[in-house]
Structure formats: C-alpha cells, structure tokens
Amino acid sequence: MGQIIAVANQKGGVGKTTTALNLGASLAAAEQRVLLVDMDPQGNLSSGLGYPKARIEQHLYHVLSGERALDEVIVDTELEYLRLAPTHTDLIGAEIELVGDEARHGRLAAAIEQVAPRFNYVLIDCPPSLGLLTLNALVAADSVIVPLQCEYFALEGLSHLLATIERVRAIYKPALALEGVLLCMYDRRMNLTQQVANEVREHFVGQVFDTVIPRNVRLAESSSFGKPVLLYDVESAGARAYLQLAQELMRRRDAQVAPQPPRPAPSRAVTQRRALSASGGTE
Ligand SMILES: Nc1ncnc2c1ncn2[C@@H]1O[C@H](COP(=O)(O)OP(=O)(O)O)[C@@H](O)[C@H]1O
Ligand SMILES: [Mg+2]
C-alpha cells in the first residue's frame, strides 16, 4: 500500500506545490511509483507538469462529485514512474456542492483508496486554505509535510494547521502524523533564515527534515516550463535538494521511523520577538 502524504500549509507561496512536484519527480527518478494529486483549484501543480487547464478534460472535480473514478482522470507525465491526477478551477465548485453531504470529508480518501495499492507514494498538493479541500486531503493522508518559508512570521498561522490536524486525528483519522516540517527558500547567508530555522528545530524536535530547500531560481523557472527541475537542470541546487529529500524520506520509510503526532506551534509573540531581534529591529 502506498504511503499517502499531504503537502499542506494554509499560507500561500511557501513552497507546497514546488515540493509536491519536485519531491514526487525525485521519488519517481528513484523508481518509486508516484501519484501526484492536485487539490488546489489554481492548478499550479498540473500546469507545472505540462497540463495547463486547456489540456485537461477529466479532473478531480469529476472525482469529488462522484462522476468519475480517480483512475479515469490520472494522466502520464514525462517521467515513467510519475503520474498526475490533474485539477481545474471547477474544483472550487466541489467545495460548495459538497457542503450538504454527510460524507464530504472522506470523498478524496475513498477515491485514493482504490488506486493506492498501485503506488509507492501518493502526494497531495493542498490549496492555501484550511477549507474542505485541505480537509479531504488530510483525511486521505497517512502523514503531512509542512513546507515553511524561512521568513518573518513563518510560524504564524501554523497553530491553525496543527489544530486542524489534531481535529482530523480526533474525529476521522487517529493515525494521521506529521511527516516533517520542511524548511524552504533557505538562504544560508541571511541571519533571519538561520534564526527561524533554529527556532523551528527547537520547537519541532526530531520533526524537521535534515534536508533544507535553498532559494534557487531554477525551481521557479522549471515549473513555468511545465517540468520538474530534474528534467530542466539536474545539476542545480534545487534539483539536488529535492533528490536528497526523496532519499531522506525513503530512508525513513525503510527504517520504519514512525512519524510523530504534531505538537502545538509556539505563540506568534515569541516568533515575532525572535524574528525582530534576529533582524536587528525593535519591538
Ligand atoms: N526554493 C525555491 N527557490 C526559489 N523559488 C521558489 C522556491 N520554492 C518555490 N519557489 C517559487 O515561489 C513561488 C511559490 O511557490 P509554490 O511552491 O507555488 O508555493 P505554494 O504552493 O505554497 O503557494 C513559485 O513561484 C515558485 O516557483
Ligand atoms: Mg500551490
């Protein structure tokens, strides 16, 4: 049975889609069978793999509305081991239509259950909100990767995500775990980056990936060309970082290191104070 991982953070622009796409491609390069599920109606993951809206006929809206099985919407990518369940802006409609449905939280889980045995990993890219689409992803998932941008207030709002994970654990899925916090857009030269990284590692002891993802323009360029970075510039720092992340994830799985339940995020005041003192500012 494949491991199902949601990539979630309700903040936009922190690296969720870049992580889902490039971690997925890196696992596929290691001959792991990977399914990427694009749960963000903006469709950046789909277009980042060469499937802009105009090219998509069947998509996740049809799956969540019950018109199609997940299997019927899955498409191939340039990488043999990497497949995609694409999305469309219509998916926003699913969020509204499902409101009156008792089983609304479990739609994606039920769909993925049908195909999961054929994959080693199923990665779900979440939208920047904690609405019904993210909830569906969390209910479907075994664990969650939380990308964080190493900037001011990186941890702000994280408590909402962690509380949502707790709620899903309490009501739907007691085994849902935090796979790891991933430090993205890491810039070694910046004091603030180091400070935020230290604070995150202090708080989430043992729950932060050793691999950090550097700020690297190749990552942004490659998705605009509809490719994972390893098919665009395999020597780039971005490509190497995601390949390393894939190795770290696989090692953990081999060693059967069980992901742990999340703990509450530090308060905003602490984050803010530390961020300001790191940048030399005053409160
Ligand atoms: N490590 C990185 N270095 C440089 N640019 C990045 C990096 N990660 C993401 N980006 C760029 O930042 C923007 C936001 O990233 P994205 O993965 O789409 O975030 P999210 O899915 O959380 O909204 C995109 O334009 C993406 O190409
Ligand atoms: Mg995104």
Side-chain angles (χ1 to χ4, degrees):
M1 191 75 165
Q3 187 179 352
I4 304 166
I5 305 176
V7 183
N9 185 332
Q10 79 275 27
K11 271 197 186 182
V14 295
K16 290 183 289 298
T17 301
T18 305
T19 295
L21 189 145
N22 290 294
L23 175 59
S26 301
L27 289 165
E31 302 197 341
Q32 300 294 304
R33 283 168 290 119
V34 179
L35 173 65
L36 290 177
V37 179
D38 189 354
M39 277 295 270
D40 184 352
Q42 287 180 58
N44 295 341
L45 177 63
S46 304
S47 61
L49 276 167
Y51 284 90
K53 283 183 198 76
R55 235 191 121 186
I56 302 168
E57 283 166 22
Q58 309 294 339
H59 45 77
L60 280 169
Y61 170 79
H62 300 117
V63 175
L64 293 192
S65 65
E67 289 167 53
R68 292 268 178 276
L70 184 54
D71 210 17
E72 296 174 275
V73 311
I74 293 175
V75 292
D76 291 333
T77 73
E78 275 185 80
L79 288 167
E80 186 188 344
Y81 285 80
L82 184 66
R83 308 195 75 209
L84 168 72
T87 198
H88 193 275
T89 37
D90 286 356
L91 191 61
I92 298 168
E95 191 151 27
I96 299 159
E97 288 165 32
L98 286 178
V99 163
D101 177 350
E102 278 290 300
R104 58 187 179 266
H105 301 117
R107 285 286 175 107
L108 184 66
I112 289 181
E113 205 176 24
Q114 305 292 316
V115 303
R118 303 209 311 268
F119 294 94
N120 299 105
Y121 292 92
V122 178
L123 302 184
I124 311 170
D125 186 27
C126 293
S129 75
L130 292 175
L132 196 51
L133 295 174
T134 295
L135 217 50
N136 259 271
L138 294 177
V139 171
D142 300 313
S143 62
V144 189
I145 291 179
V146 180
L148 277 192
Q149 193 176 349
C150 297
E151 286 203 352
Y152 277 120
F153 311 131
L155 294 172
E156 188 191 331
L158 202 57
S159 53
H160 297 300
L161 174 61
L162 297 177
T164 305
I165 294 175
E166 273 310 327
R167 196 150 55 91
V168 172
R169 282 164 55 81
I171 305 174
Y172 306 101
K173 188 126 188 200
L176 178 65
L178 179 62
E179 186 69 50
V181 173
L182 179 65
L183 300 171
C184 291
M185 304 189 210
Y186 195 90
D187 188 343
R188 266 171 224 291
R189 295 161 306 180
M190 279 181 64
N191 255 342
L192 179 63
T193 295
Q194 300 276 3
Q195 185 76 27
V196 172
N198 289 343
E199 186 180 343
V200 172
R201 286 191 193 282
E202 256 171 45
H203 185 78
F204 294 94
V205 180
Q207 293 185 309
V208 183
F209 285 104
D210 293 336
T211 307
V212 297
I213 309 299
R215 188 174 284 284
N216 180 239
V217 70
R218 292 295 202 226
L219 288 168
E221 287 171 4
S222 54
S223 9
S224 68
F225 284 102
K227 285 178 187 298
V229 69
L230 60 83
L231 293 180
Y232 179 73
D233 182 356
V234 70
E235 299 292 331
S236 64
R240 276 182 284 145
Y242 278 109
L243 287 165
Q244 192 184 326
L245 179 65
Q247 294 298 328
E248 186 177 348
L249 192 66
M250 288 188 292
R251 265 201 315 275
R252 290 175 65 146
R253 196 177 181 185
D254 289 346
Q256 298 201 311
V257 178
Q260 303 151 33
R263 41 187 112 191
S267 73
R268 174 182 171 171
V270 172
T271 316
Q272 185 167 342
R273 199 167 55 241
R274 291 194 185 177
L276 283 170
S277 67
S279 66
T282 51
E283 274 176 78

